[in-house]
Amino acid sequence: MATASSSLHQPIFPQYPSLSRNSRFHPPLRFSSLRLPSRIRASSAVALEPESSTQLNIGLEFDLFSCPVCYEPLIRKGPPGLNLPAIYRSGFKCKSCNKSYSSKDMYLDLTITAGSKDYNELQPNRTELFRSPLVSFLYERGWRQNFNRSGFPGRDEEFKMAQEYFKPVIGGLLVDVSCGSGLFSRKFAESGTYSGVVALDFSENMLRQCYDFIKKENPALATTNLALVRADVSRLPFSTGSVDAVHAGAALHCWPSPSNAVAEITRILRSGGIFVGTTFLRPSFGNSSIPSILRPFRQWERILQNYNNLTEKEIEDLCTSCGLINYRSKVQQSFIMFSGQKA
């Protein structure tokens, strides 16, 4: 993978669009009083790295992103806009805890351990699995397609189903948590029905794969309202009540603590916001679901069998116990798509 200096400064980024008043991505006015704006002018100066005279003269602003440590809105210095080149050229800092955040390669690292040199937190095996370059590469090249055997209807149909659930929040900000290689993040962004889309995952290699797919399949997508963010689903970098829609495709069974994750998702949703997720209802990761290239490696099979698969009733109980209402679901074999709304 090329470094940021060589890959992000290509003609793929001809300009730095922002969420202007006349943009077709601007959210409907009915949302403006219910969630935090994407950025607010800072009332006081914050010490960030000085820009050279050749850089754009951009003021300090509170950004839509928040510090994962204290949840205070981050102050941003750099080009405005929720798009890859603008975010890459921006610096972010928490006024409260003084922690700084910046882009690594093509994604913005908003994990608690971002910038740490010596400390490295051990993660569960299933979390580390998806940080593997091999699994990240295979995810859209055979791995995800195996889910069809368990009742998953496929990317296009899953996207249509999710869009039906998201109809009440069309025009708002959507966060695709545990997005993997951006299988659905890219479709949400391409649809033009959201003011912005944040593709969020803990795996650095999944986010790199998402960027590679953007470059190869739809370079223009890089300058739309799409951001790539590394973050922990149990510590989401958004202020309380600031997000309209959250999507989690084939993710719940991978989370170390589904209750912590759903509680965090509920926290960041505005009143009336929608959460849509898909997962496996019961253990279904036998050999038939493992890509053939990985079957000789027995350790992968042991990791794959260590998942948090829940029953349909358990998923409903999880959502309602975290404060979501209007629970709905669709089941097909081991596949379930479920939805809940923030009260």
Side-chain angles (χ1 to χ4, degrees):
M1 181 67 194
T3 63
S5 60
S6 62
S7 61
L8 278 176
H9 298 168
Q10 301 298 320
I12 187 175
F13 302 138
Q15 56 185 348
Y16 308 99
S18 61
L19 294 177
S20 67
R21 187 179 301 274
N22 297 321
S23 169
R24 66 190 180 97
F25 295 99
H26 191 72
L29 292 177
R30 66 177 181 274
F31 293 127
S32 60
S33 62
L34 296 174
R35 70 166 186 268
L36 294 177
S38 61
R39 55 173 51 84
I40 311 168
R41 285 287 172 185
S43 58
S44 60
V46 174
L48 293 179
E49 292 299 320
E51 291 184 306
S52 68
S53 59
T54 59
Q55 291 179 305
L56 295 176
N57 183 19
I58 302 296
L60 299 178
E61 299 178 331
F62 284 120
D63 202 70
L64 74 90
F65 299 117
S66 292
C67 175
V69 176
C70 61
Y71 294 138
E72 289 296 318
L74 294 177
I75 294 179
R76 173 177 179 175
K77 188 175 185 180
L82 186 69
N83 59 77
L84 300 185
I87 291 175
Y88 170 67
R89 291 178 175 272
S90 297
F92 298 82
K93 192 167 188 176
C94 178
K95 184 180 178 182
S96 177
C97 64
N98 207 38
K99 185 174 175 64
S100 297
Y101 302 89
S102 60
S103 294
K104 297 183 67 175
D105 296 331
M106 71 302 299
Y107 62 86
L108 176 62
D109 192 343
L110 293 179
T111 58
I112 290 179
T113 57
S116 62
K117 297 179 180 179
D118 300 319
Y119 177 74
N120 186 28
E121 218 165 43
L122 292 177
Q123 299 293 330
N125 286 336
R126 59 182 172 271
T127 300
E128 293 302 306
L129 172 68
F130 291 100
R131 296 177 73 184
S132 160
L134 177 59
V135 173
S136 299
F137 178 81
L138 292 174
Y139 192 73
E140 288 190 46
R141 298 175 175 91
W143 183 292
R144 190 52 159 75
Q145 288 80 348
N146 277 269
F147 292 4
N148 295 349
R149 302 181 184 183
S150 298
F152 277 67
R155 179 190 182 191
D156 291 342
E157 184 59 28
E158 287 177 55
F159 173 72
K160 291 179 183 178
M161 292 169 65
Q163 286 288 73
E164 284 295 315
Y165 284 124
F166 283 137
K167 277 185 176 179
V169 292
I170 290 296
L173 173 67
L174 182 144
V175 178
D176 189 15
V177 299
S178 298
C179 69
S181 56
L183 186 73
F184 293 100
S185 306
R186 305 194 305 272
K187 288 189 73 68
F188 286 127
E190 289 168 351
S191 72
T193 53
Y194 302 95
S195 61
V197 174
V198 178
L200 183 149
D201 203 278
F202 189 75
S203 169
E204 306 91 326
N205 285 305
M206 283 293 190
L207 293 171
R208 292 184 183 110
Q209 283 295 317
C210 182
Y211 176 70
D212 284 345
F213 279 120
I214 291 172
K215 283 198 303 180
K216 294 174 183 177
E217 297 178 357
N218 188 0
L221 198 59
T223 53
T224 62
N225 296 319
L226 171 66
L228 304 185
V229 173
R230 181 174 183 247
D232 189 336
V233 70
S234 65
R235 201 75 186 176
L236 292 170
F238 302 95
S239 298
T240 299
S242 61
V243 173
D244 299 286
V246 175
H247 176 263
L252 184 145
H253 57 280
C254 301
W255 295 336
S257 174
S259 59
N260 284 351
V262 176
E264 264 295 88
I265 288 169
T266 304
R267 179 187 67 80
I268 69 171
L269 282 173
R270 68 168 178 85
S271 179
I274 303 290
F275 169 43
V276 174
T278 62
T279 188
F280 291 87
L281 278 178
R282 58 182 177 272
S284 55
F285 286 106
N287 276 334
S288 62
S289 295
I290 302 175
S292 58
I293 193 172
L294 291 182
R295 291 176 193 168
F297 303 96
R298 302 298 296 179
Q299 65 268 31
W300 295 117
E301 182 177 353
R302 288 195 295 270
I303 293 172
L304 285 170
Q305 306 225 1
N306 186 24
Y307 280 84
N308 287 320
N309 296 91
L310 304 176
T311 66
E312 183 178 2
K313 288 296 183 183
E314 287 173 330
I315 293 173
E316 180 177 3
D317 191 37
L318 170 62
C319 291
T320 55
S321 65
C322 288
L324 296 174
I325 61 174
N326 299 329
Y327 178 85
R328 294 191 292 165
S329 66
K330 295 180 182 179
V331 176
Q332 180 175 307
Q333 295 175 245
S334 298
F335 164 83
I336 181 172
M337 176 173 282
F338 59 95
S339 172
Q341 188 173 33
K342 177 76 169 286

